[in-house]
Amino acid sequence: MLDPVQAQLDAYNARDLEAFAACYRDDVRVYDLDANVERFRGLDELRARYGPQFVNLPQQRAKVVSRQRVGLFTVDVEFVTGSGERPDAHVMAIYRVDGQGPSAKIDRVWFSPRG
């Protein structure tokens, strides 16, 4: 896997939980960017949060509006659609990638509130 950020987005849009989880380290930490608090930690929690979403919101997709890479960090502005009762919205995600080449995986993520 050369680009885990793009690979996880592709798996997210394909609703493929195992391909999605494979892009993240076992000890991944996901944070709320605005409140600066940890939302969850680890692949078990990632699967528990995204698995039902992939099943219950089959039309949900994220499209990258802009992407910037600086060192270990990738900053995406994404437009998320198909979220059921929630309106379509822009979200900012900051991914930190640990490692390079085929062993590279996402170890930290910060999400902005939907806007």
Short mmCIF file of all heavy atoms in Angstrom, two decimals, residues 1-38:
data_model
loop_
_atom_site.label_atom_id
_atom_site.label_comp_id
_atom_site.label_asym_id
_atom_site.label_seq_id
_atom_site.Cartn_x
_atom_site.Cartn_y
_atom_site.Cartn_z
N MET A 1 0.87 -1.18 0.00
CA MET A 1 0.00 0.00 0.00
C MET A 1 0.91 1.23 0.00
O MET A 1 1.59 1.50 0.98
CB MET A 1 -0.88 -0.05 1.25
CG MET A 1 -1.76 1.14 1.43
SD MET A 1 -2.72 1.12 2.96
CE MET A 1 -2.93 -0.57 3.34
N LEU A 2 0.92 1.97 -1.07
CA LEU A 2 1.80 3.11 -1.18
C LEU A 2 1.20 4.38 -0.61
O LEU A 2 1.91 5.22 -0.09
CB LEU A 2 2.22 3.32 -2.63
CG LEU A 2 3.06 2.20 -3.22
CD1 LEU A 2 3.38 2.47 -4.67
CD2 LEU A 2 4.32 1.98 -2.41
N ASP A 3 -0.09 4.55 -0.70
CA ASP A 3 -0.74 5.75 -0.19
C ASP A 3 -1.95 5.34 0.65
O ASP A 3 -3.05 5.18 0.14
CB ASP A 3 -1.17 6.66 -1.33
CG ASP A 3 -1.81 7.95 -0.85
OD1 ASP A 3 -1.94 8.14 0.39
OD2 ASP A 3 -2.20 8.77 -1.69
N PRO A 4 -1.74 5.16 1.96
CA PRO A 4 -2.85 4.71 2.79
C PRO A 4 -4.00 5.71 2.89
O PRO A 4 -5.14 5.32 3.11
CB PRO A 4 -2.20 4.45 4.16
CG PRO A 4 -0.96 5.27 4.15
CD PRO A 4 -0.52 5.33 2.72
N VAL A 5 -3.72 7.00 2.69
CA VAL A 5 -4.79 8.00 2.77
C VAL A 5 -5.76 7.81 1.59
O VAL A 5 -6.97 7.76 1.78
CB VAL A 5 -4.23 9.43 2.82
CG1 VAL A 5 -5.34 10.46 2.74
CG2 VAL A 5 -3.41 9.63 4.10
N GLN A 6 -5.22 7.66 0.40
CA GLN A 6 -6.09 7.44 -0.76
C GLN A 6 -6.75 6.07 -0.68
O GLN A 6 -7.92 5.92 -1.00
CB GLN A 6 -5.32 7.59 -2.07
CG GLN A 6 -6.21 7.47 -3.30
CD GLN A 6 -7.30 8.53 -3.35
OE1 GLN A 6 -7.05 9.71 -3.15
NE2 GLN A 6 -8.54 8.11 -3.62
N ALA A 7 -5.99 5.06 -0.24
CA ALA A 7 -6.54 3.71 -0.14
C ALA A 7 -7.71 3.64 0.84
O ALA A 7 -8.72 2.98 0.57
CB ALA A 7 -5.44 2.73 0.27
N GLN A 8 -7.61 4.35 1.98
CA GLN A 8 -8.72 4.32 2.93
C GLN A 8 -9.94 5.06 2.38
O GLN A 8 -11.06 4.65 2.61
CB GLN A 8 -8.30 4.85 4.31
CG GLN A 8 -7.92 6.30 4.39
CD GLN A 8 -9.07 7.26 4.57
OE1 GLN A 8 -10.02 6.97 5.30
NE2 GLN A 8 -9.00 8.39 3.91
N LEU A 9 -9.72 6.12 1.61
CA LEU A 9 -10.85 6.83 0.99
C LEU A 9 -11.54 5.93 -0.04
O LEU A 9 -12.77 5.86 -0.08
CB LEU A 9 -10.39 8.13 0.35
CG LEU A 9 -11.49 8.94 -0.32
CD1 LEU A 9 -12.44 9.53 0.73
CD2 LEU A 9 -10.89 10.06 -1.17
N ASP A 10 -10.75 5.24 -0.83
CA ASP A 10 -11.32 4.32 -1.83
C ASP A 10 -12.12 3.21 -1.14
O ASP A 10 -13.22 2.87 -1.58
CB ASP A 10 -10.22 3.72 -2.69
CG ASP A 10 -9.52 4.74 -3.58
OD1 ASP A 10 -10.08 5.85 -3.78
OD2 ASP A 10 -8.40 4.45 -4.04
N ALA A 11 -11.57 2.65 -0.06
CA ALA A 11 -12.27 1.59 0.68
C ALA A 11 -13.53 2.13 1.36
O ALA A 11 -14.55 1.45 1.41
CB ALA A 11 -11.32 0.98 1.71
N TYR A 12 -13.46 3.36 1.87
CA TYR A 12 -14.63 4.01 2.49
C TYR A 12 -15.75 4.11 1.46
O TYR A 12 -16.89 3.74 1.73
CB TYR A 12 -14.22 5.39 2.99
CG TYR A 12 -15.32 6.23 3.57
CD1 TYR A 12 -15.58 6.22 4.93
CD2 TYR A 12 -16.08 7.07 2.76
CE1 TYR A 12 -16.58 7.01 5.48
CE2 TYR A 12 -17.08 7.87 3.30
CZ TYR A 12 -17.32 7.83 4.65
OH TYR A 12 -18.32 8.61 5.20
N ASN A 13 -15.42 4.59 0.28
CA ASN A 13 -16.43 4.76 -0.76
C ASN A 13 -16.94 3.42 -1.31
O ASN A 13 -18.08 3.33 -1.76
CB ASN A 13 -15.89 5.63 -1.89
CG ASN A 13 -15.84 7.10 -1.48
OD1 ASN A 13 -16.60 7.55 -0.62
ND2 ASN A 13 -14.93 7.84 -2.08
N ALA A 14 -16.12 2.38 -1.22
CA ALA A 14 -16.53 1.04 -1.65
C ALA A 14 -17.26 0.30 -0.53
O ALA A 14 -17.77 -0.80 -0.76
CB ALA A 14 -15.31 0.23 -2.08
N ARG A 15 -17.31 0.90 0.67
CA ARG A 15 -17.97 0.30 1.84
C ARG A 15 -17.29 -1.01 2.21
O ARG A 15 -17.91 -1.97 2.64
CB ARG A 15 -19.46 0.10 1.64
CG ARG A 15 -20.23 1.23 0.95
CD ARG A 15 -19.88 2.61 1.40
NE ARG A 15 -20.59 2.99 2.63
CZ ARG A 15 -20.25 4.04 3.37
NH1 ARG A 15 -19.23 4.78 3.02
NH2 ARG A 15 -20.92 4.33 4.46
N ASP A 16 -15.96 -1.07 2.08
CA ASP A 16 -15.18 -2.28 2.35
C ASP A 16 -14.45 -2.10 3.68
O ASP A 16 -13.37 -1.51 3.73
CB ASP A 16 -14.19 -2.50 1.21
CG ASP A 16 -13.40 -3.78 1.33
OD1 ASP A 16 -13.24 -4.31 2.46
OD2 ASP A 16 -12.91 -4.26 0.30
N LEU A 17 -15.05 -2.59 4.75
CA LEU A 17 -14.54 -2.36 6.09
C LEU A 17 -13.14 -2.91 6.29
O LEU A 17 -12.28 -2.24 6.89
CB LEU A 17 -15.49 -2.95 7.14
CG LEU A 17 -15.11 -2.71 8.60
CD1 LEU A 17 -15.04 -1.23 8.93
CD2 LEU A 17 -16.09 -3.43 9.52
N GLU A 18 -12.86 -4.10 5.81
CA GLU A 18 -11.53 -4.69 6.04
C GLU A 18 -10.45 -3.97 5.25
O GLU A 18 -9.35 -3.77 5.76
CB GLU A 18 -11.55 -6.20 5.78
CG GLU A 18 -12.33 -6.95 6.83
CD GLU A 18 -11.95 -6.58 8.27
OE1 GLU A 18 -10.76 -6.57 8.62
OE2 GLU A 18 -12.87 -6.28 9.07
N ALA A 19 -10.74 -3.58 4.02
CA ALA A 19 -9.76 -2.79 3.25
C ALA A 19 -9.54 -1.43 3.90
O ALA A 19 -8.42 -0.92 3.93
CB ALA A 19 -10.22 -2.64 1.80
N PHE A 20 -10.61 -0.84 4.43
CA PHE A 20 -10.53 0.43 5.14
C PHE A 20 -9.65 0.29 6.38
O PHE A 20 -8.70 1.05 6.57
CB PHE A 20 -11.95 0.86 5.52
CG PHE A 20 -12.07 2.17 6.23
CD1 PHE A 20 -11.90 3.37 5.56
CD2 PHE A 20 -12.37 2.21 7.58
CE1 PHE A 20 -12.02 4.59 6.22
CE2 PHE A 20 -12.50 3.41 8.25
CZ PHE A 20 -12.32 4.61 7.56
N ALA A 21 -9.93 -0.71 7.21
CA ALA A 21 -9.16 -0.92 8.44
C ALA A 21 -7.69 -1.23 8.16
O ALA A 21 -6.82 -0.86 8.95
CB ALA A 21 -9.80 -2.03 9.27
N ALA A 22 -7.41 -1.88 7.04
CA ALA A 22 -6.03 -2.25 6.70
C ALA A 22 -5.14 -1.03 6.47
O ALA A 22 -3.91 -1.15 6.50
CB ALA A 22 -6.03 -3.14 5.46
N CYS A 23 -5.72 0.13 6.30
CA CYS A 23 -4.96 1.36 6.06
C CYS A 23 -4.48 2.02 7.35
O CYS A 23 -3.72 2.98 7.32
CB CYS A 23 -5.81 2.36 5.27
SG CYS A 23 -6.31 1.71 3.66
N TYR A 24 -4.94 1.50 8.48
CA TYR A 24 -4.67 2.10 9.78
C TYR A 24 -3.82 1.17 10.64
O TYR A 24 -3.95 -0.05 10.57
CB TYR A 24 -5.99 2.38 10.51
CG TYR A 24 -6.82 3.43 9.84
CD1 TYR A 24 -7.73 3.10 8.84
CD2 TYR A 24 -6.70 4.77 10.20
CE1 TYR A 24 -8.48 4.08 8.21
CE2 TYR A 24 -7.46 5.74 9.57
CZ TYR A 24 -8.34 5.39 8.59
OH TYR A 24 -9.09 6.35 7.96
N ARG A 25 -3.00 1.77 11.50
CA ARG A 25 -2.23 0.99 12.48
C ARG A 25 -3.18 0.42 13.53
O ARG A 25 -4.25 0.97 13.78
CB ARG A 25 -1.18 1.87 13.15
CG ARG A 25 -0.01 2.22 12.24
CD ARG A 25 1.02 3.06 12.96
NE ARG A 25 1.34 2.56 14.27
CZ ARG A 25 2.41 1.82 14.58
NH1 ARG A 25 3.27 1.50 13.63
NH2 ARG A 25 2.63 1.42 15.81
N ASP A 26 -2.76 -0.65 14.15
CA ASP A 26 -3.57 -1.29 15.20
C ASP A 26 -3.92 -0.32 16.32
O ASP A 26 -4.98 -0.42 16.92
CB ASP A 26 -2.84 -2.49 15.80
CG ASP A 26 -2.68 -3.63 14.82
OD1 ASP A 26 -3.38 -3.65 13.78
OD2 ASP A 26 -1.85 -4.52 15.10
N ASP A 27 -3.02 0.60 16.61
CA ASP A 27 -3.22 1.54 17.73
C ASP A 27 -3.64 2.93 17.26
O ASP A 27 -3.39 3.92 17.95
CB ASP A 27 -1.96 1.64 18.57
CG ASP A 27 -0.75 2.14 17.79
OD1 ASP A 27 -0.82 2.22 16.53
OD2 ASP A 27 0.28 2.45 18.42
N VAL A 28 -4.29 3.02 16.10
CA VAL A 28 -4.71 4.31 15.56
C VAL A 28 -5.50 5.10 16.61
O VAL A 28 -6.24 4.53 17.41
CB VAL A 28 -5.56 4.14 14.28
CG1 VAL A 28 -6.86 3.40 14.55
CG2 VAL A 28 -5.83 5.48 13.61
N ARG A 29 -5.30 6.40 16.59
CA ARG A 29 -6.06 7.31 17.45
C ARG A 29 -6.76 8.32 16.57
O ARG A 29 -6.16 8.90 15.67
CB ARG A 29 -5.14 8.04 18.43
CG ARG A 29 -4.53 7.11 19.43
CD ARG A 29 -3.70 7.87 20.42
NE ARG A 29 -3.04 6.94 21.31
CZ ARG A 29 -2.34 7.31 22.36
NH1 ARG A 29 -2.21 8.60 22.64
NH2 ARG A 29 -1.77 6.42 23.13
N VAL A 30 -8.05 8.55 16.86
CA VAL A 30 -8.86 9.48 16.08
C VAL A 30 -9.35 10.57 17.02
O VAL A 30 -9.90 10.28 18.09
CB VAL A 30 -10.04 8.76 15.40
CG1 VAL A 30 -10.90 9.74 14.63
CG2 VAL A 30 -9.51 7.66 14.47
N TYR A 31 -9.14 11.83 16.61
CA TYR A 31 -9.43 12.98 17.45
C TYR A 31 -10.46 13.90 16.82
O TYR A 31 -10.58 13.99 15.60
CB TYR A 31 -8.15 13.81 17.67
CG TYR A 31 -7.06 13.07 18.37
CD1 TYR A 31 -6.08 12.39 17.66
CD2 TYR A 31 -6.99 13.04 19.76
CE1 TYR A 31 -5.07 11.70 18.29
CE2 TYR A 31 -5.97 12.36 20.41
CZ TYR A 31 -5.02 11.70 19.68
OH TYR A 31 -4.02 11.01 20.32
N ASP A 32 -11.17 14.61 17.67
CA ASP A 32 -12.03 15.72 17.27
C ASP A 32 -11.14 16.95 17.23
O ASP A 32 -10.58 17.36 18.25
CB ASP A 32 -13.16 15.89 18.30
CG ASP A 32 -14.10 17.00 17.93
OD1 ASP A 32 -13.63 18.16 17.78
OD2 ASP A 32 -15.29 16.74 17.81
N LEU A 33 -10.98 17.53 16.06
CA LEU A 33 -10.08 18.66 15.88
C LEU A 33 -10.54 19.90 16.64
O LEU A 33 -9.73 20.60 17.26
CB LEU A 33 -9.95 18.98 14.39
CG LEU A 33 -9.00 20.09 13.98
CD1 LEU A 33 -7.57 19.76 14.39
CD2 LEU A 33 -9.05 20.31 12.48
N ASP A 34 -11.82 20.17 16.66
CA ASP A 34 -12.34 21.37 17.31
C ASP A 34 -12.22 21.31 18.82
O ASP A 34 -11.74 22.24 19.46
CB ASP A 34 -13.80 21.58 16.90
CG ASP A 34 -14.33 22.94 17.30
OD1 ASP A 34 -13.59 23.94 17.16
OD2 ASP A 34 -15.48 23.00 17.76
N ALA A 35 -12.63 20.20 19.42
CA ALA A 35 -12.61 20.06 20.88
C ALA A 35 -11.26 19.55 21.39
O ALA A 35 -11.01 19.55 22.58
CB ALA A 35 -13.72 19.13 21.33
N ASN A 36 -10.41 19.08 20.47
CA ASN A 36 -9.10 18.54 20.81
C ASN A 36 -9.20 17.40 21.82
O ASN A 36 -8.48 17.35 22.81
CB ASN A 36 -8.16 19.63 21.32
CG ASN A 36 -6.71 19.18 21.29
OD1 ASN A 36 -6.32 18.37 20.46
ND2 ASN A 36 -5.92 19.68 22.22
N VAL A 37 -10.16 16.49 21.57
CA VAL A 37 -10.33 15.32 22.42
C VAL A 37 -10.29 14.06 21.55
O VAL A 37 -10.65 14.09 20.37
CB VAL A 37 -11.65 15.34 23.22
CG1 VAL A 37 -11.67 16.51 24.20
CG2 VAL A 37 -12.85 15.39 22.31
N GLU A 38 -9.86 12.97 22.16
CA GLU A 38 -9.82 11.70 21.45
C GLU A 38 -11.23 11.15 21.29
O GLU A 38 -11.97 11.05 22.26
CB GLU A 38 -8.95 10.72 22.23
CG GLU A 38 -8.69 9.44 21.49
CD GLU A 38 -7.74 8.55 22.26
OE1 GLU A 38 -6.52 8.82 22.25
OE2 GLU A 38 -8.23 7.58 22.87
#
